[in-house]
Amino acid sequence: MINKEINEVKTILITGATSGIGYATAIKAAQQHWTVILNGRDEVRLLNMRKEFEMLYGSTVHTIAYDVTDIEAVKRSFLWIKKNVGQLDVLVNNAGIMDDALIGMLKPEQLQKTLEVNTSAAIYHMQFALRVMARQKRGSIINVSSIIGRFGNAGQIAYSASKAALIGATYSAAKELASLNIRVNAIAPGFIETDLTKYYSDKLKQQTLGQIKMGRAGSAEEVANVILFLASDAASYVTGQVIGVDGGMVI
């Protein structure tokens, strides 16, 4: 049974909500009858999700289609939220890309794009969310990093750097915003069955699974459960933390 504190009604914005961890988080929030604001680039997909959630869960759902790296679009979106929704309790910085390359083969455009999507966009979203949350004197920001951002991985230097930088941003923002009762935490998923890991070869997948103490991949729903906890009042004294959701991949 869901804890009563977790079931307090919230307004939540989820970037990259159309698949994987973002989609699973959106479902969990809608099931709790939170007001859910969905972001993604596929407007048709977002509208279909809104219809689905409203029909299945009776939740209030808004959709905002924009590229998270477009600063002006981000700004307009938060102005829209302020005007039309009136509050924002939770921001989930989930949008991300993975463009692997060995350090000797990494192209400048790969590095720039990865940092823009995985790091810069998240910081801009925190900046604009602050303007809404500061007036409320409350809020929860959850940044979706990665276990690779904590410990690195061969062939993923750009992704690792971007997610490590997001962890650093999480620590700094948590220190800055705690006095405003705005909590900032990060999660560091391990090997999760999502679109980002579909391209793994069978050999690489088996090698990765061999490093996981629980012997299996995680699901997007299991990550979403941790996000919902951090978003809820049940985590009211938790800030500046990086929580691994990796099945014991790193102990």
Side-chain angles (χ1 to χ4, degrees), residues 237-250:
Y237 202 54
V238 180
T239 195
Q241 303 302 307
V242 180
I243 300 178
V245 188
D246 62 0
M249 189 174 189
V250 177

Side-chain angles (χ1 to χ4, degrees), residues 9-156:
V9 175
K10 305 284 186 183
T11 297
I12 182 172
L13 167 62
I14 306 164
T15 67
T18 57
S19 64
I21 292 170
Y23 180 66
T25 301
I27 290 176
K28 296 285 184 181
Q31 289 173 337
Q32 298 305 310
H33 303 293
W34 290 6
T35 296
V36 184
I37 306 170
L38 305 171
N39 157 260
R41 291 181 297 175
D42 187 338
E43 188 168 8
V44 173
R45 169 67 171 155
L46 289 172
L47 292 174
N48 287 336
M49 286 175 63
R50 184 177 73 183
K51 293 177 183 177
E52 175 190 353
F53 289 1
E54 289 176 343
M55 179 180 68
L56 292 178
Y57 313 120
S59 55
T60 300
V61 181
H62 303 283
T63 62
I64 311 179
Y66 64 90
D67 186 327
V68 294
T69 65
D70 185 338
I71 300 174
E72 290 302 315
V74 175
K75 181 178 180 180
R76 288 193 300 270
S77 297
F78 277 94
L79 288 173
W80 184 91
I81 291 170
K82 182 178 178 181
K83 179 180 179 180
N84 294 279
V85 182
Q87 71 181 65
L88 181 65
D89 302 297
V90 183
L91 165 65
V92 181
N93 276 317
N94 169 72
I97 60 172
M98 182 186 292
D99 191 359
D100 293 349
L102 295 168
I103 187 170
M105 303 296 290
L106 181 66
K107 298 177 181 178
E109 56 268 27
Q110 287 178 284
L111 176 60
Q112 181 177 354
K113 184 65 175 179
T114 301
L115 291 172
E116 284 180 352
V117 175
N118 294 356
T119 310
S120 298
I123 292 173
Y124 291 134
H125 278 75
M126 287 194 284
Q127 186 179 54
F128 287 112
L130 168 62
R131 300 178 184 181
V132 181
M133 293 177 175
R135 296 186 305 113
Q136 303 168 170
K137 298 289 187 184
R138 71 178 187 279
S140 176
I141 297 172
I142 301 103
N143 295 321
V144 180
S145 181
S146 169
I147 202 72
I148 294 172
R150 294 184 63 197
F151 299 98
N153 195 38
Q156 294 187 299

